[in-house]
Structures are given as structure tokens and as C-alpha cells.
Amino acid sequence: MTALQLGLDTFGDVPTDDAGRVLTHPEAIRQVLDEAVLADQSGIDVIALGEHHRPEYSVSSPETVLAGIATRTERITLASGVTVLSSDDPVRVFQRFATVDALSGGRAQVILGRGSFTESFPLFGYDLADYDVLFEEKIELFHQLLAEQPVTWSGTTRPALADADVFPKTAGGLDTWVGVGGSPQSVVRAARYGLPLMLAIIGGEPERFRPYVDLYRRATEQLGTPEGRIGMHSPGFVADTDAEARETYFPSYQKMRNTIGALRGWPPLRRAEFDHEIENGSLYVGSPETVARKIAASVDALDVSRFDLVYTAGPQTVSARLRAVELFGTQVAPMVRDLLASRAGSPA
């Protein structure tokens, strides 16, 4: 049985200090660094930084921030969550993460995705009409680069390569996953390349994603590719009590959700909907015991070997975020492992 990994994800949401002042982008980036150091010290397995190009988020270049984290941590895996490969260059992505891998002693991990936000496409000169072909061609090239041998490749989205060697090399290969938001085609694509699968489950009952887990395993078997690990990430927040977690998290989560919803045609978030999602959906909000029990149930139901909690949402306070990181590492993670171990040892 593959050992369970437990991680934390953030997009570098711009927080506030305890006096209510909104931090600047430089301050917000340094705050992410401090939280990653605390995560490392608290025993958390992974810190994953997402890429965004919007004013409410501070991290537009995950690998740059991860390089800084690498110099101040010792054991935690340093991941992107995700790198929008469609609007980037596969060669440069490989080189940057190979550099993080060197700085961290082999702890870098890249999670490749198509991007649910589209600001990066016009920003870097890409046409959204090419959304699908951009990712299809670029992940094909990136997969070839992972062999760390000279590459010959041609496509329509970037200049061809002829026996091109790419540097720096890594010491033991670059750990590469594919992030998927719920498209069967994306699941099969990850299986085709034999890359681990990360499912973004941000709403509704987690169990509804079990068909994607089964599809991935069936596809790897039929295609004859290696079956990689399967993980999931979902939003949530940990505080000392259930009531504190809900009351602390709701205002900032509501603001973040309504900002995005205004662009996507969603109605404003109601408190009843928020509470229902905690009770029945994919919000992991509460005390350490409440969150641990819900994570364990989801990991068990989906049969995955990794769970990442997206622990930031909107303008939360710095102190609340730091406490959430500490509680997740020191209390939630051990409880999850104990709960799953006890279930595995229970008689059928």
C-alpha cells in the first residue's frame, strides 16, 4: 500500500494583518515563504503553489517562490499546483524546475495543468482558441524532456527542436504530475503518459470523482503505461474549534468566491450553501478532528494516496493562516493516518 501524503496548497492569496491592513504583493509572497517553513517544521509532506495572474493573488511564478522556500526548508516536497503549461514554454518550465530540484536536493515537483483561469493566455500572447492544442502539444514535448536526453520534436505551437539537449540535468529525474479538473479526456491523457494524477475537487460530493480514479487505472492498464499515484486537492481551513473555523473562514471565502463568481456568472454565495458544502461537499472546514475525519473518509472513498488542502481563500488574516498550517501538520495529519490505519486493520 502506497504511503499517504498530506499537503497544503495556496495561490498566494493576498492576506490582511491582524489590524485589517491588506498586505502588499511582496509582503504576501514573503508570508507564503514563512508558512512553507512552518509547514516543513510541522511535518507536512508537500507545499504546492498555484500560478495566477490576478490582483488578489501574489504568486505568478511558483517555481521562483519555491526556490526561495528550498533554501529555508529541509524535507518538504516543493510543488506547483498547477503550472499552466499551455501558456508557458516546456523547455523553460523543465529548466526552472530542474533548478529548484537542485537547490532543494531533489524535492521539486511540477504539476502540469491547462489552467482554469485564462489571464495568462492573452498576457503571454496565446489565443484561447488554441486552448486544447496548446496543452496537447506542450505536454507531449515536456514528456520527452523528462527522459533528459536530446529531443527532436515538431508541432504548431512553438519552434521545432532537432536533437536538442536541455540543461541542467537533475540528479534523479523530475517528479511530474498532471492536474485535472474533471475532464475524462484529461484523465486519459495523464494515463497515456504514465504520469501521476491530481484531481481538483472544489465542490460537490467527493465520491462523484471515483469514476475518474477508476478510469485512470483502467486506462493505464489498457495502454500499458505505468500507473502513477493519484491525489486530490480541495479547499478548507483548520482552527481550534468548528465554530471558530467557520466564522473565521466564511467572510474571506465568500469574498473570493463572489469575485470569481462575478466573472463566471455564479450567484452570490449564501451562508446556507457554505454550511451545506462543509457538511456534504468538498469544503474541509473545522477543528482538527472534524477535518481529519472528513479527509480520511474522502481518501478512503476515492482510494487515493495523497490529499492536499487548499488552505488559503481571500483576505484571511496572517495569524489565522499560520495557525491553520500548524494545526494541519501537528494534529490533522497524524489523526488522518491513525484513522486510516485503524480502518485498514478492522475486520471485514
Side-chain angles (χ1 to χ4, degrees):
M1 181 177 178
T2 304
L4 176 68
Q5 285 191 313
L6 293 164
L8 289 174
D9 292 8
T10 179
F11 305 123
D13 306 64
V14 176
T16 61
D17 63 20
D18 288 347
R21 181 183 66 88
V22 178
L23 270 60
T24 64
H25 283 119
E27 290 173 323
I29 290 170
R30 291 192 292 271
Q31 180 60 32
V32 169
L33 177 59
D34 289 343
E35 288 161 4
V37 171
L38 179 59
D40 184 55
Q41 295 168 346
S42 301
I44 295 167
D45 296 314
V46 183
I47 184 73
L49 308 185
E51 173 189 344
H52 281 294
H53 304 270
R54 297 176 51 82
E56 61 266 36
Y57 302 113
S58 65
V59 177
S60 62
S61 176
E63 58 271 41
T64 307
V65 184
L66 293 171
I69 294 171
T71 64
R72 290 185 54 191
T73 56
E74 296 180 358
R75 47 165 298 281
I76 197 166
T77 295
L78 308 172
S80 62
V82 299
T83 291
V84 184
L85 185 65
S86 306
S87 58
D88 211 326
D89 183 81
V91 174
R92 292 297 286 146
V93 171
F94 179 87
Q95 290 176 322
R96 295 195 299 258
F97 276 90
T99 302
V100 176
D101 202 60
L103 289 170
S104 64
R107 292 185 282 130
Q109 180 182 98
V110 57
I111 304 180
L112 305 173
R114 297 194 296 172
S116 60
F117 287 75
T118 58
E119 289 85 0
S120 64
F121 290 82
L123 186 64
F124 299 123
Y126 292 98
D127 190 337
L128 278 171
D130 298 327
Y131 185 81
D132 291 322
V133 69
L134 281 165
F135 191 72
E136 190 66 59
E137 287 194 0
K138 290 185 177 186
I139 195 172
E140 177 191 14
L141 172 55
F142 197 90
H143 184 254
Q144 291 188 39
L145 293 168
L146 291 176
E148 303 195 30
Q149 298 294 325
V151 170
T152 297
W153 177 92
S154 64
T156 63
T157 57
R158 59 147 288 147
L161 297 173
D163 202 31
D165 215 354
V166 175
F167 307 98
K169 306 295 185 182
T170 68
L174 181 59
D175 188 13
T176 303
W177 294 50
V178 176
V180 173
S183 162
Q185 294 83 0
S186 296
V187 172
V188 173
R189 183 189 295 111
R192 185 166 76 243
Y193 290 115
L195 296 174
L197 179 72
M198 177 61 73
L199 294 167
I201 306 177
I202 60 173
E205 296 181 355
E207 291 81 359
R208 68 192 174 92
F209 275 74
R210 182 59 193 250
Y212 295 106
V213 173
D214 296 337
L215 172 62
Y216 175 78
R217 290 181 173 142
R218 188 166 63 250
T220 55
E221 181 179 359
Q222 293 176 0
L223 293 167
T225 53
E227 180 183 311
R229 301 187 67 183
I230 303 175
M232 61 182 289
H233 92 171
S234 293
F237 183 72
V238 191
D240 289 283
T241 68
D242 288 344
E244 181 187 355
R246 292 193 187 205
E247 296 309 313
T248 301
Y249 188 66
F250 178 69
S252 57
Y253 179 77
Q254 182 186 45
K255 183 171 183 177
M256 177 273 295
R257 168 71 184 274
N258 288 347
T259 299
I260 297 171
L263 301 173
R264 301 185 178 183
W266 301 343
L269 177 70
R270 296 175 293 109
R271 178 60 188 255
E273 180 186 352
F274 171 77
D275 290 334
H276 182 270
E277 190 68 24
I278 292 173
E279 298 296 336
N280 304 289
S282 294
L283 270 181
Y284 296 73
V285 177
S287 67
E289 182 177 357
T290 296
V291 173
R293 289 190 180 280
K294 186 165 185 174
I295 291 174
S298 296
V299 167
D300 198 30
L302 294 182
D303 190 22
V304 297
S305 59
R306 173 168 162 186
F307 181 96
D308 286 3
L309 184 77
V310 186
Y311 71 100
T312 60
Q316 297 161 299
T317 64
V318 166
S319 60
R321 282 174 34 164
L322 287 167
R323 181 62 174 160
V325 171
E326 180 186 10
L327 289 173
F328 189 81
T330 61
Q331 296 190 36
V332 174
M335 284 189 210
V336 171
R337 293 191 172 95
D338 287 345
L339 285 165
L340 291 172
S342 65
R343 291 179 188 180
S346 299

